[in-house]
Amino acid sequence: MNLETFLDPYALALVGGGTIASAVLRTSAGDLARALLALRTLPRRRFAADPLLEQIAAFGRIARRHGPVALDKSVIADPDVAAAIADIVDGHGPDAVESRLRYLRQARIERHCAAADVWAGMAEAAPAMGMVGTLVGLVAMFVQMTDPQAIGGAMAVALLATLYGALLANLVAMPVASRLRAAARVEAFERRRLEEPLVALAAREQPRGTVVRSWHGASEAA
């Protein structure tokens, strides 16, 4: 017995192709693309807010010395922090900045969960596709009972399809879904730490006695 014993292209095509087809049919194109792109994040370190907190503290010192307009020239890699700083530069109040950050954080959580759900759905579909492959192999075996060589190939498809479905679900799809969800929980918690200092900066630098417009279009008095 060697590795080639456990390789069967027909069983692999039934299970792998069926699982992929199930994911495509039940998922929007955008979520499917995000699920595939999310694989790039698995080897990375989990998100930590500490470097961004240091950057926000530096922005506070710059705004205290030169005014919030000086922040407009800052290079900010993180999109959420960049959006909040842009609101502060535009004179938006702390409530508007807090609403923006919460919205962005929630939207990010939804995207992460959607990507994880795609992989969780594949973990659910893979064993079912393995059972389909098993049934196909059994049908082929019974149809060709008079040909001993054909019976062996059909039986291999029937047994290996179940094996492939179990392996794909438990060693690939479900671990990926679990790791994506864990990373999403950590990032959501860490990004929550960014809200307080950014809101405090907005409150300190908000123009007094003026009317500004919040990010979602509502007017508010400063």
Side-chain angles (χ1 to χ4, degrees), residues 63 67-74 76 82-93 97 201-202 205-207 212:
V69 178
L71 300 178
D72 196 32
K73 299 179 181 179
S74 302
I76 307 173
I85 294 297
D87 282 351
I88 294 172
V89 171
D90 291 340
H92 291 228
V97 172
L201 180 59
E205 301 300 334
Q206 181 183 12
V212 297

Side-chain angles (χ1 to χ4, degrees), residues 145-212:
M145 290 293 289
T146 57
D147 187 351
Q149 292 183 347
I151 291 176
M155 180 60 75
V157 171
L159 296 177
L160 290 176
T162 301
L163 175 65
Y164 292 163
L167 293 178
L168 181 58
N170 294 286
L171 295 183
V172 180
M174 188 52 70
V176 170
S178 298
R179 290 187 61 183
L180 290 177
R181 287 196 176 112
R185 287 194 297 269
V186 171
E187 184 168 356
F189 176 80
E190 289 292 305
R191 286 192 176 277
R192 181 66 180 84
R193 297 173 59 197
L194 302 176
E195 294 180 11
E196 184 176 352
L198 286 169
V199 170
L201 180 59
R204 193 187 74 195
E205 301 300 334
Q206 181 183 12
R208 302 299 176 184
T210 61
V211 176
V212 297

